[in-house]
Amino acid sequence: MKKNLFMPFVGILAVATSINAQPTLKDTFKNDFLIGAALNESQFTGMNTREAALVKAQFNSISPENALKWEAIHPELDKYNFDPADHYVEFGQQNHMFIVGHTLVWHNQTPKWVFQDDTGNPVDRNTLLKRMHDHISTVVGRYKGKIDGWDVVNEALNEDGTLRESPWEKIIGDDYILKAYQFAHEADPKAELYYNEYSIENAPKRKGAIALIKKLQTAGIPIAGVGLQGHYKMDWPTPAVLDETIKAFAGIGVKVNVTELDMDVLPAATRSQAAEVSMNVALRAELNPYTNGLPDLVQQALAKRYAELFAVFVKNSKLMDRVTFWCVTDADSWLNNWPVKGRTAYPLLFDRNYQPKPAFDAVIRTASPEK
Ligand code: GLA
């Protein structure tokens, strides 16, 4: 009887010991920046105990993969679904983590009703502004003092740096961006406000993002940071371009955070560098070459590539607050299903068995020495 009672603890101890035996990202980079991960519901509710333990051991900042997106938290006009987001925030608080809110105003994962009246026609500017205000004041207000920083607007730009003609822009006009930040700041004046975007490492889009942020600053918005999403390829961006990008944003007085880091090692399915979630390419065998594991050569190349990027982050660590990975292990990554559904992707530092990959060790070696 005694023995049976003791057995489960042996299992827990074994997991804890194997996790503790390795260095942790959060401790290794404590002199540089926070290290974050985007979490899914089974991780922040603790249902997936192994992943929850890995998150607690390795990360000191969290982002919600989906729980705070409009379609998840506000699926109908008069219906909010706070439960998953409440669990997400509780998980962060219990583990003393920096908690990110992602995202308030975006054109994807936002229900059609937001932009339509009862007959399916587009609503007018004032109606949409009111809906945006209600959403932001309700969601940001609920987590006031708990969520530390918000991705207020996500992906407002085209690749050439002009404003994307999203339903927000078409119905409200260009000032929808300013309004979103004003509403968020009103709802929690102490929360940090960020602009989050992909491929702003490329010069034309970077220029657009700098202009957008400067406009907010001129209007008195205390914008704290820009998020480089960091959905990177093996050959893009180069370390020099990344370095130049970080310095360019720091030059206008905002912190630079990497908010959705992953590294695509699979054959390119399109020529685009854009992380446009609506892309969908048909599965062909040659696009999915590593179904039985990653060959050692590719594994080593991935490790080298991660080390080269982290060397840039560490070099610029005074200009940065946080590096967040988009998901925890290779098994959870969206890249298994984007832009081609059903591939076997290897974009992160932990493999499908929750084990650190050679890329993990390579990243650890780039940290600043103890100060
Ligand atoms: C974008 C969004 C994220 C996420 C990723 C892909 O980068 O900002 O919320 O949806 O795409 O999963």
Side-chain angles (χ1 to χ4, degrees), residues 118 264 275 319:
D118 292 341
D264 195 355
L319 314 179

Side-chain angles (χ1 to χ4, degrees), residues 237-267:
T238 62
V241 163
L242 190 56
D243 184 61
E244 187 184 293
T245 304
I246 295 170
K247 292 191 166 78
F249 284 108
I252 58 164
V254 289
K255 278 286 163 87
V256 184
N257 297 319
V258 177
T259 54
E260 308 186 11
L261 184 59
D262 49 25
M263 181 61 57
D264 195 355
V265 294
L266 296 179

Side-chain angles (χ1 to χ4, degrees), residues 69 102 106 109 154-155 196 229 231 260 277 326 334:
K69 289 178 180 167
H102 172 86
W106 189 28
Q109 295 187 260
N154 196 30
E155 305 177 355
N196 196 52
Q229 288 189 359
H231 296 297
E260 308 186 11
V277 293
W326 202 249
W334 71 305

